[in-house]
PDB file of all heavy atoms in Angstrom:
ATOM      1  N   GLU A 188      89.743 120.417 211.099  1.00 88.00           N
ATOM      2  CA  GLU A 188      90.730 119.942 212.063  1.00 88.00           C
ATOM      3  C   GLU A 188      90.711 120.834 213.295  1.00 88.00           C
ATOM      4  O   GLU A 188      90.285 121.990 213.258  1.00 88.00           O
ATOM      5  CB  GLU A 188      92.113 119.945 211.404  1.00 88.00           C
ATOM      6  CG  GLU A 188      93.266 119.470 212.280  1.00 88.00           C
ATOM      7  CD  GLU A 188      93.070 118.067 212.810  1.00 88.00           C
ATOM      8  OE1 GLU A 188      93.457 117.119 212.121  1.00 88.00           O
ATOM      9  OE2 GLU A 188      92.509 117.953 213.919  1.00 88.00           O
ATOM     10  N   SER A 189      91.177 120.291 214.411  1.00 86.00           N
ATOM     11  CA  SER A 189      91.245 121.066 215.642  1.00 86.00           C
ATOM     12  C   SER A 189      92.209 122.238 215.465  1.00 86.00           C
ATOM     13  O   SER A 189      93.384 122.046 215.155  1.00 86.00           O
ATOM     14  CB  SER A 189      91.728 120.170 216.786  1.00 86.00           C
ATOM     15  OG  SER A 189      92.097 120.952 217.900  1.00 86.00           O
ATOM     16  N   PRO A 190      91.728 123.484 215.652  1.00 87.00           N
ATOM     17  CA  PRO A 190      92.645 124.626 215.493  1.00 87.00           C
ATOM     18  C   PRO A 190      93.764 124.624 216.519  1.00 87.00           C
ATOM     19  O   PRO A 190      94.868 125.089 216.230  1.00 87.00           O
ATOM     20  CB  PRO A 190      91.723 125.837 215.653  1.00 87.00           C
ATOM     21  CG  PRO A 190      90.509 125.333 216.352  1.00 87.00           C
ATOM     22  CD  PRO A 190      90.363 123.911 215.948  1.00 87.00           C
ATOM     23  N   ARG A 191      93.501 124.133 217.700  1.00 84.00           N
ATOM     24  CA  ARG A 191      94.553 124.075 218.718  1.00 84.00           C
ATOM     25  C   ARG A 191      95.671 123.138 218.260  1.00 84.00           C
ATOM     26  O   ARG A 191      96.861 123.430 218.438  1.00 84.00           O
ATOM     27  CB  ARG A 191      93.952 123.594 220.036  1.00 84.00           C
ATOM     28  CG  ARG A 191      94.953 123.459 221.168  1.00 84.00           C
ATOM     29  CD  ARG A 191      95.556 124.804 221.564  1.00 84.00           C
ATOM     30  NE  ARG A 191      96.554 124.658 222.586  1.00 84.00           N
ATOM     31  CZ  ARG A 191      96.293 124.672 223.897  1.00 84.00           C
ATOM     32  NH1 ARG A 191      95.040 124.821 224.319  1.00 84.00           N
ATOM     33  NH2 ARG A 191      97.255 124.539 224.768  1.00 84.00           N
ATOM     34  N   PHE A 192      95.300 122.021 217.659  1.00 82.00           N
ATOM     35  CA  PHE A 192      96.308 121.099 217.146  1.00 82.00           C
ATOM     36  C   PHE A 192      97.118 121.752 216.031  1.00 82.00           C
ATOM     37  O   PHE A 192      98.351 121.597 215.966  1.00 82.00           O
ATOM     38  CB  PHE A 192      95.626 119.825 216.643  1.00 82.00           C
ATOM     39  CG  PHE A 192      96.540 118.873 215.921  1.00 82.00           C
ATOM     40  CD1 PHE A 192      97.397 118.047 216.636  1.00 82.00           C
ATOM     41  CD2 PHE A 192      96.557 118.800 214.538  1.00 82.00           C
ATOM     42  CE1 PHE A 192      98.255 117.179 215.981  1.00 82.00           C
ATOM     43  CE2 PHE A 192      97.403 117.929 213.877  1.00 82.00           C
ATOM     44  CZ  PHE A 192      98.251 117.122 214.600  1.00 82.00           C
ATOM     45  N   LEU A 193      96.445 122.472 215.142  1.00 85.00           N
ATOM     46  CA  LEU A 193      97.161 123.132 214.048  1.00 85.00           C
ATOM     47  C   LEU A 193      98.138 124.173 214.575  1.00 85.00           C
ATOM     48  O   LEU A 193      99.249 124.326 214.044  1.00 85.00           O
ATOM     49  CB  LEU A 193      96.151 123.782 213.096  1.00 85.00           C
ATOM     50  CG  LEU A 193      95.247 122.818 212.319  1.00 85.00           C
ATOM     51  CD1 LEU A 193      94.227 123.595 211.498  1.00 85.00           C
ATOM     52  CD2 LEU A 193      96.064 121.904 211.419  1.00 85.00           C
ATOM     53  N   LEU A 194      97.742 124.893 215.621  1.00 83.00           N
ATOM     54  CA  LEU A 194      98.655 125.870 216.209  1.00 83.00           C
ATOM     55  C   LEU A 194      99.871 125.187 216.821  1.00 83.00           C
ATOM     56  O   LEU A 194     100.994 125.702 216.732  1.00 83.00           O
ATOM     57  CB  LEU A 194      97.923 126.690 217.272  1.00 83.00           C
ATOM     58  CG  LEU A 194      96.869 127.674 216.746  1.00 83.00           C
ATOM     59  CD1 LEU A 194      96.070 128.255 217.905  1.00 83.00           C
ATOM     60  CD2 LEU A 194      97.527 128.784 215.937  1.00 83.00           C
ATOM     61  N   GLU A 195      99.667 124.045 217.457  1.00 78.00           N
ATOM     62  CA  GLU A 195     100.794 123.298 218.023  1.00 78.00           C
ATOM     63  C   GLU A 195     101.743 122.839 216.925  1.00 78.00           C
ATOM     64  O   GLU A 195     102.948 122.723 217.150  1.00 78.00           O
ATOM     65  CB  GLU A 195     100.287 122.086 218.806  1.00 78.00           C
ATOM     66  CG  GLU A 195      99.515 122.420 220.071  1.00 78.00           C
ATOM     67  CD  GLU A 195     100.414 122.890 221.190  1.00 78.00           C
ATOM     68  OE1 GLU A 195     101.641 122.722 221.070  1.00 78.00           O
ATOM     69  OE2 GLU A 195      99.897 123.439 222.178  1.00 78.00           O
ATOM     70  N   MET A 196     101.214 122.590 215.743  1.00 78.00           N
ATOM     71  CA  MET A 196     102.040 122.164 214.618  1.00 78.00           C
ATOM     72  C   MET A 196     102.633 123.341 213.841  1.00 78.00           C
ATOM     73  O   MET A 196     103.287 123.143 212.820  1.00 78.00           O
ATOM     74  CB  MET A 196     101.214 121.293 213.669  1.00 78.00           C
ATOM     75  CG  MET A 196     100.739 119.979 214.279  1.00 78.00           C
ATOM     76  SD  MET A 196     102.088 118.845 214.706  1.00 78.00           S
ATOM     77  CE  MET A 196     102.113 119.039 216.503  1.00 78.00           C
ATOM     78  N   GLY A 197     102.352 124.559 214.297  1.00 80.00           N
ATOM     79  CA  GLY A 197     102.911 125.729 213.627  1.00 80.00           C
ATOM     80  C   GLY A 197     102.136 126.203 212.417  1.00 80.00           C
ATOM     81  O   GLY A 197     102.622 127.044 211.664  1.00 80.00           O
ATOM     82  N   LYS A 198     100.909 125.724 212.227  1.00 84.00           N
ATOM     83  CA  LYS A 198     100.090 126.103 211.071  1.00 84.00           C
ATOM     84  C   LYS A 198      99.129 127.203 211.490  1.00 84.00           C
ATOM     85  O   LYS A 198      97.937 126.985 211.700  1.00 84.00           O
ATOM     86  CB  LYS A 198      99.354 124.877 210.525  1.00 84.00           C
ATOM     87  CG  LYS A 198     100.295 123.772 210.068  1.00 84.00           C
ATOM     88  CD  LYS A 198      99.541 122.555 209.563  1.00 84.00           C
ATOM     89  CE  LYS A 198     100.498 121.457 209.133  1.00 84.00           C
ATOM     90  NZ  LYS A 198      99.793 120.256 208.625  1.00 84.00           N
ATOM     91  N   HIS A 199      99.655 128.408 211.576  1.00 84.00           N
ATOM     92  CA  HIS A 199      98.899 129.533 212.108  1.00 84.00           C
ATOM     93  C   HIS A 199      97.727 129.913 211.228  1.00 84.00           C
ATOM     94  O   HIS A 199      96.596 130.112 211.703  1.00 84.00           O
ATOM     95  CB  HIS A 199      99.842 130.724 212.294  1.00 84.00           C
ATOM     96  CG  HIS A 199      99.157 131.977 212.735  1.00 84.00           C
ATOM     97  ND1 HIS A 199      98.562 132.852 211.849  1.00 84.00           N
ATOM     98  CD2 HIS A 199      98.962 132.501 213.972  1.00 84.00           C
ATOM     99  CE1 HIS A 199      98.023 133.854 212.513  1.00 84.00           C
ATOM    100  NE2 HIS A 199      98.267 133.670 213.807  1.00 84.00           N
ATOM    101  N   ASP A 200      97.966 130.040 209.932  1.00 87.00           N
ATOM    102  CA  ASP A 200      96.924 130.534 209.033  1.00 87.00           C
ATOM    103  C   ASP A 200      95.735 129.583 208.961  1.00 87.00           C
ATOM    104  O   ASP A 200      94.579 130.023 208.956  1.00 87.00           O
ATOM    105  CB  ASP A 200      97.504 130.755 207.633  1.00 87.00           C
ATOM    106  CG  ASP A 200      98.559 131.868 207.622  1.00 87.00           C
ATOM    107  OD1 ASP A 200      98.562 132.674 208.580  1.00 87.00           O
ATOM    108  OD2 ASP A 200      99.357 131.924 206.675  1.00 87.00           O
ATOM    109  N   GLU A 201      96.012 128.272 208.901  1.00 89.00           N
ATOM    110  CA  GLU A 201      94.920 127.298 208.860  1.00 89.00           C
ATOM    111  C   GLU A 201      94.094 127.351 210.135  1.00 89.00           C
ATOM    112  O   GLU A 201      92.854 127.302 210.101  1.00 89.00           O
ATOM    113  CB  GLU A 201      95.479 125.887 208.652  1.00 89.00           C
ATOM    114  CG  GLU A 201      96.177 125.675 207.316  1.00 89.00           C
ATOM    115  CD  GLU A 201      96.696 124.265 207.170  1.00 89.00           C
ATOM    116  OE1 GLU A 201      95.984 123.343 207.593  1.00 89.00           O
ATOM    117  OE2 GLU A 201      97.811 124.092 206.636  1.00 89.00           O
ATOM    118  N   ALA A 202      94.763 127.459 211.279  1.00 87.00           N
ATOM    119  CA  ALA A 202      94.049 127.535 212.550  1.00 87.00           C
ATOM    120  C   ALA A 202      93.193 128.798 212.625  1.00 87.00           C
ATOM    121  O   ALA A 202      92.042 128.769 213.106  1.00 87.00           O
ATOM    122  CB  ALA A 202      95.048 127.501 213.711  1.00 87.00           C
ATOM    123  N   TRP A 203      93.743 129.936 212.156  1.00 90.00           N
ATOM    124  CA  TRP A 203      92.993 131.193 212.185  1.00 90.00           C
ATOM    125  C   TRP A 203      91.739 131.108 211.330  1.00 90.00           C
ATOM    126  O   TRP A 203      90.668 131.597 211.724  1.00 90.00           O
ATOM    127  CB  TRP A 203      93.895 132.330 211.711  1.00 90.00           C
ATOM    128  CG  TRP A 203      93.262 133.688 211.836  1.00 90.00           C
ATOM    129  CD1 TRP A 203      93.293 134.510 212.913  1.00 90.00           C
ATOM    130  CD2 TRP A 203      92.476 134.353 210.835  1.00 90.00           C
ATOM    131  NE1 TRP A 203      92.583 135.655 212.666  1.00 90.00           N
ATOM    132  CE2 TRP A 203      92.060 135.590 211.389  1.00 90.00           C
ATOM    133  CE3 TRP A 203      92.085 134.035 209.542  1.00 90.00           C
ATOM    134  CZ2 TRP A 203      91.286 136.492 210.689  1.00 90.00           C
ATOM    135  CZ3 TRP A 203      91.297 134.938 208.832  1.00 90.00           C
ATOM    136  CH2 TRP A 203      90.907 136.147 209.403  1.00 90.00           C
ATOM    137  N   MET A 204      91.838 130.502 210.158  1.00 91.00           N
ATOM    138  CA  MET A 204      90.679 130.372 209.275  1.00 91.00           C
ATOM    139  C   MET A 204      89.579 129.529 209.919  1.00 91.00           C
ATOM    140  O   MET A 204      88.387 129.845 209.817  1.00 91.00           O
ATOM    141  CB  MET A 204      91.108 129.756 207.943  1.00 91.00           C
ATOM    142  CG  MET A 204      91.979 130.652 207.079  1.00 91.00           C
ATOM    143  SD  MET A 204      91.099 132.147 206.551  1.00 91.00           S
ATOM    144  CE  MET A 204      89.808 131.417 205.529  1.00 91.00           C
ATOM    145  N   ILE A 205      89.958 128.449 210.625  1.00 91.00           N
ATOM    146  CA  ILE A 205      88.959 127.591 211.267  1.00 91.00           C
ATOM    147  C   ILE A 205      88.293 128.318 212.432  1.00 91.00           C
ATOM    148  O   ILE A 205      87.062 128.261 212.601  1.00 91.00           O
ATOM    149  CB  ILE A 205      89.616 126.282 211.740  1.00 91.00           C
ATOM    150  CG1 ILE A 205      90.078 125.467 210.531  1.00 91.00           C
ATOM    151  CG2 ILE A 205      88.650 125.462 212.588  1.00 91.00           C
ATOM    152  CD1 ILE A 205      90.865 124.237 210.889  1.00 91.00           C
TER     153      ILE A 205
END
Side-chain angles (χ1 to χ4, degrees):
E188 180 58 88
S189 166
R191 179 64 183 272
F192 172 78
L193 294 176
L194 290 171
E195 293 286 347
M196 296 295 105
K198 300 179 181 180
H199 175 275
D200 295 341
E201 296 180 40
W203 186 88
M204 291 296 296
I205 294 174

